[in-house]
């Protein structure tokens, strides 16, 4: 049972899951305001803005930087993963035409 306690008290997991949950709630609110329709399933669905995937990996990378330092291997790995996920999320949105890239 100690493994379960270790998982739910791991600060990186808590930060990542919390960020995902906040992004999903924000996504539901944005959908509600834009479409004038409340859809509880937006809490669990993929797609839309903000990206739950991007929020998760960026928050974990930030936690790694703060807890372990910017020179740590934990930050390096999480930073590279965050770049890949965010780049992929941007590409998917551009490809589907749901979002435009503003530079």
């Amino acid at each position: 049972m100690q493994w379960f306690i270790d998982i739910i008290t791991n600060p990186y997991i808590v930060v990542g899951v919390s960020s995902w949950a906040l992004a999903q709630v924000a996504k539901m609110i944005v959908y509600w305001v834009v479409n004038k329709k409340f859809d509880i399933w937006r809490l669990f669905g993929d797609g839309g803005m903000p990206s739950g995937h991007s929020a998760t990996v960026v928050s974990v990378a930030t936690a790694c930087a703060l807890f372990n330092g910017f020179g740590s291997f934990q930050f390096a790995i999480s930073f590279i993963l965050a770049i890949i996920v965010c780049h992929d999320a941007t590409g998917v949105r551009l490809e589907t035409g749901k979002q435009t890239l503003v530079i």
Side-chain angles (χ1 to χ4, degrees):
M1 193 62 174
Q2 182 61 38
W3 62 270
F4 183 72
I5 293 169
D6 290 343
I7 289 174
I8 63 172
T9 59
N10 183 312
Y12 306 101
I13 293 174
V14 171
V15 164
V17 170
S18 298
S19 296
W20 173 83
L22 286 172
Q24 293 301 106
V25 168
K27 185 184 305 188
M28 184 184 67
I29 293 169
V30 167
Y31 183 85
W32 186 11
V33 169
V34 169
N35 297 302
K36 311 283 189 270
K37 186 170 72 170
F38 182 77
D39 185 6
I40 192 74
W41 295 108
R42 295 302 301 156
L43 280 175
F44 309 104
D46 293 331
M49 288 295 287
S51 169
H53 297 89
S54 296
T56 302
V57 294
V58 168
S59 66
V60 170
T62 302
C64 286
L66 294 175
F67 295 151
N68 301 304
F70 287 95
S72 67
F73 77 91
Q74 294 95 331
F75 173 68
I77 292 169
S78 60
F79 180 76
I80 296 300
L81 179 63
I83 289 172
I84 292 168
V85 170
C86 291
H87 181 267
D88 189 53
T90 302
V92 167
R93 282 167 177 76
L94 288 173
E95 192 66 32
T96 61
K98 292 183 179 181
Q99 204 72 26
T100 57
L101 181 62
V102 178
I103 298 177

